[in-house]
C-alpha cells in the first residue's frame, strides 16, 4: 500500500504569523530611537495585558540590539582609524571618520553603552538557564556565564529584526555556541575541535536516550544511522572522548605507588633495532646524494630526516622564499626520481621493520 502524505497546514500558519510580526516590526522600526520611545516601552512593560507586555519587551530588545549594532560599527571605525594613523584616535578625528558631529557621536556612544548593559541584564536569566546544561564539564559556572554574555553580544550584532523573530529566541544559538566553544578549548588537557565535540555530545545524547527506552547500547554502525553521523566520525570521537589521567596518580586508596612506576618504557630499543635504524639512515642518505641539492634539502625538511621535525610546504616555502606550490613541485619531482624498482627492492625490508 502506498504511503499517503497529509500536510497539517501548520507551515502556512507559521508563515502568515511571521509575516504579521514582520509588518508590526516594520512599523515599529520607523520610529526614532530616543529616550521617549524607551520610556514608552517601560510603561508598556508594566501593563497588565500579557500581549502588550510581550510586544513591549520585543520592541525593547529590538531597540537595544539596534543601538548595540550601531555602537559596534562606531568602534570598528575607530579601530580602523587607529590602525591607519598608528596611534590612539581622538574624539574629533573619530567623529570626522564616522561622518557625524562630535556631539552626536557622544550621544550614540552613550546610548550604545546603555543598550549593551540593558541587553546583558535582560538576558541574564536566559544565560543562567542555558549554562546549567553545561555544568560538570571542567568549566566553572562563572566562566560559562561570561561566555554566555559574549554570545549575547555576538547575537546582537547579527540580529535582524525585519525577519519577525524575537531577540531572545535568536540569541540562544549564539549563547550555546559560545559556551560549547569554551568547553571544547579549555575543559580538557588536549584540545578537541568544536565540530568533533558536538559529535561527541550527539553520541552521548543518542546513547542515553536509547538506553533509557530499551536498556541497550548501540554499535557504531547502528548509532551512525540513528544520529545521522558517519561511522568514521563516531570512531574518531570515541578515541577523543576517553577519560584522561595523570601518570603521577596513585593506584588504589591504600597503596603509595604511582601509575608511572608500573608503566613500561616503550622508548627503549633493542640492539638489533638500533643497528637496523643506523643502516636505514645510511642508505637513505646515499639515496639522496643522487638528487639536486635543493630537491635533497626539500625531502630532508619535509620528512624530518635530520631532527625528526616534519615541516609543512608553507614553512619550507618561507625558508626558500618561494610559494608552497613551488615546493610541492620540487617534492613531486624528487620523489619521482627516487621511486624505481631497484630502490624498492633495496628498501623493502625496512617497510616491514
Amino acid at each position: 500500500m502506498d504511503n499517503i502524505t497529509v500536510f497539517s497546514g501548520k507551515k502556512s500558519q507559521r508563515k502568515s504569523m511571521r509575516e504579521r510580526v514582520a509588518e508590526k516590526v516594520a512599523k515599529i522600526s520607523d520610529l526614532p530611537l530616543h529616550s521617549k520611545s524607551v520610556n514608552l516601552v517601560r510603561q508598556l512593560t508594566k501593563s497588565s495585558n500579557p500581549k502588550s507586555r510581550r510586544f513591549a519587551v520585543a520592541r525593547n530588545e529590538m531597540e537595544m540590539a539596534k543601538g548595540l549594532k550601531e555602537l559596534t560599527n562606531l568602534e570598528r571605525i575607530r579601530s580602523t582609524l587607529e590602525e591607519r594613523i598608528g596611534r590612539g584616535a581622538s574624539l574629533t578625528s573619530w567623529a570626522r571618520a564616522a561622518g557625524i558631529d562630535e556631539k552626536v557621536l557622544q550621544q550614540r556612544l552613550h546610548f550604545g553603552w546603555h543598550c549593551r548593559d540593558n541587553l546583558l541584564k535582560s538576558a541574564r536569566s536566559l544565560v543562567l538557564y542555558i549554562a546549567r546544561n553545561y555544568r560538570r564539564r571542567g568549566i566553572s559556572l562563572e566562566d560559562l556565564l561570561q561566555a554566555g554574555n559574549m554570545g549575547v553580544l555576538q547575537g546582537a550584532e547579527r540580529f535582524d529584526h525585519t525577519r519577525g523573530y524575537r531577540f531572545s529566541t535568536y540569541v540562544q544559538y549564539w549563547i550555546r555556541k559560545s559556551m560549547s566553544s569554551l568547553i571544547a578549548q579549555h575543559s580538557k588537557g588536549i584540545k578537541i575541535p568544536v565540530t568533533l565535540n558536538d559529535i561527541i555530545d550527539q553520541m552521548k545524547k543518542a546513547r542515553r536516550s536509547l538506553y533509557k527506552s530499551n536498556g541497550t547500547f548501540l554499535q557504531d554502525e547502528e548509532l551512525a544511522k540513528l544520529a545521522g553521523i558517519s561511522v568514521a566520525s563516531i570512531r574518531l570521537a570515541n578515541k577523543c572522548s576517553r577519560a584522561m589521567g595523570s601518570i603521577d596518580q596513585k593506584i588504589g586508596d591504600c597503596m603509595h605507588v604511582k601509575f608511572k612506576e608500573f608503566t613500561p618504557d616503550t622508548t627503549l630499543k633493542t640492539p638489533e633495532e638500533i643497528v637496523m635504524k643506523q643502516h636505514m639512515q645510511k642508505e637513505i642518505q646515499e639515496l639522496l646524494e643522487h638528487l639536486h641539492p635543493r630537491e635533497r634539502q626539500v625531502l630532508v625538511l619535509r620528512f624530518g630526516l635530520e631532527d625528526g621535525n616534519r615541516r609543512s610546504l608553507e614553512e619550507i616555502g618561507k625558508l626558500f622564499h618561494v610559494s608552497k606550490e613551488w615546493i610541492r613541485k620540487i617534492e613531486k619531482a624528487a620523489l619521482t626520481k627516487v621511486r624505481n624498482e631497484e630502490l624498492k627492492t633495496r628498501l623493502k625490508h625496512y617497510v616491514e621493520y
Side-chain angles (χ1 to χ4, degrees):
M1 187 175 181
D2 297 336
N3 294 329
I4 300 175
T5 303
V6 179
F7 296 97
S8 62
K10 291 185 178 180
K11 183 177 180 180
S12 59
Q13 293 178 4
R14 289 194 294 266
K15 184 178 180 181
S16 61
M17 183 181 65
R18 286 197 297 266
E19 291 177 354
R20 290 196 301 269
V21 175
E23 291 177 359
K24 292 181 180 179
V25 172
K27 294 178 182 179
I28 294 173
S29 60
D30 295 335
L31 298 176
L33 288 174
H34 49 75
S35 59
K36 292 183 180 180
S37 60
V38 176
N39 293 331
L40 178 61
V41 172
R42 290 177 179 173
Q43 292 177 4
L44 289 174
T45 53
K46 299 179 181 179
S47 176
S48 59
N49 190 358
K51 185 177 293 186
S52 300
R53 285 202 303 269
R54 289 195 299 267
F55 180 75
V57 169
R59 169 170 168 75
N60 190 21
E61 290 176 346
M62 182 198 68
E63 289 187 347
M64 297 300 106
K66 290 173 66 176
L68 181 59
K69 189 179 298 185
E70 188 176 9
L71 175 65
T72 305
N73 294 332
L74 292 175
E75 290 179 347
R76 190 178 294 113
I77 293 173
R78 184 189 63 180
S79 60
T80 305
L81 178 62
E82 291 178 350
E83 290 179 359
R84 189 176 63 210
I85 63 179
R87 55 183 176 82
S90 62
L91 192 63
T92 305
S93 58
W94 187 4
R96 192 182 302 112
I100 56 179
D101 186 63
E102 185 175 348
K103 187 175 181 180
V104 176
L105 175 63
Q106 290 180 349
Q107 292 177 353
R108 293 186 179 180
L109 289 176
H110 285 291
F111 182 71
W113 295 331
H114 170 74
C115 293
R116 182 176 58 188
D117 295 339
N118 279 359
L119 274 180
L120 293 178
K121 289 179 181 178
S122 62
R124 185 179 302 169
S125 59
L126 179 61
V127 172
L128 181 60
Y129 175 77
I130 297 176
R132 291 174 180 174
N133 299 326
Y134 293 91
R135 291 180 300 177
R136 300 181 183 91
R137 296 194 183 183
I139 301 296
S140 62
L141 181 61
E142 290 77 10
D143 293 336
L144 288 175
L145 295 178
Q146 186 66 22
N149 291 333
M150 296 299 295
V152 172
L153 299 180
Q154 292 176 2
E157 294 177 8
R158 296 167 174 83
F159 178 65
D160 187 5
H161 63 278
T162 59
R163 299 204 172 189
Y165 295 100
R166 294 184 60 181
F167 174 77
S168 57
T169 304
Y170 173 78
V171 82
Q172 290 183 24
Y173 166 78
W174 294 100
I175 296 174
R176 291 191 177 94
K177 182 179 179 181
S178 181
M179 290 182 181
S180 59
S181 300
L182 178 67
I183 292 173
Q185 292 178 3
H186 302 287
S187 63
K188 296 181 179 180
I190 300 176
K191 294 184 179 180
I192 300 176
V194 179
T195 54
L196 190 58
N197 195 64
D198 294 338
I199 293 175
I200 295 174
D201 293 338
Q202 293 178 13
M203 290 169 47
K204 290 180 179 179
K205 290 180 181 178
R207 285 175 174 168
R208 193 183 303 116
S209 61
L210 189 69
Y211 182 76
K212 288 181 179 179
S213 59
N214 299 333
T216 57
F217 287 99
L218 290 177
Q219 299 296 328
D220 293 342
E221 292 77 8
E222 298 173 347
L223 184 61
K225 293 180 181 179
L226 180 63
I229 309 171
S230 63
V231 180
S233 300
I234 289 179
R235 290 174 180 172
L236 181 60
N238 287 331
K239 296 179 181 178
C240 296
S241 60
R242 293 174 181 173
M244 294 178 294
S246 174
I247 59 175
D248 294 325
Q249 185 178 1
K250 294 182 179 180
I251 300 176
D253 298 331
C254 302
M255 299 178 62
H256 296 282
V257 182
K258 297 181 179 179
F259 181 77
K260 64 180 180 181
E261 298 180 9
F262 289 90
T263 305
D265 190 359
T266 58
T267 59
L268 298 178
K269 297 183 180 296
T270 62
E272 292 82 3
E273 293 176 345
I274 296 175
V275 173
M276 183 72 72
K277 187 174 182 180
Q278 291 176 354
H279 282 287
M280 181 177 62
Q281 291 176 349
K282 182 180 179 181
E283 292 194 11
I284 291 177
Q285 292 296 333
E286 293 177 357
L287 173 64
L288 298 179
E289 288 180 357
H290 301 285
L291 298 176
H292 188 272
R294 174 161 290 192
E295 294 176 344
R296 180 171 62 250
Q297 188 66 20
V298 167
L299 291 183
V300 169
L301 295 174
R302 187 78 174 111
F303 295 96
L305 300 179
E306 288 185 352
D307 54 358
N309 185 17
R310 302 184 62 176
R311 292 172 174 83
S312 62
L313 295 173
E314 187 175 358
E315 293 174 348
I316 301 174
K318 291 181 180 179
L319 294 175
F320 287 97
H321 303 287
V322 294
S323 64
K324 65 178 183 180
E325 295 299 328
W326 188 259
I327 298 298
R328 192 194 305 274
K329 293 179 181 180
I330 296 176
E331 179 190 6
K332 185 178 180 180
L335 292 176
T336 304
K337 292 180 181 179
V338 300
R339 284 172 179 168
N340 54 57
E341 294 299 330
E342 181 181 357
L343 294 175
K344 285 182 180 179
T345 55
R346 182 179 172 184
L347 301 176
K348 186 176 181 180
H349 60 279
Y350 290 118
V351 178
E352 299 176 357
Y353 162 72

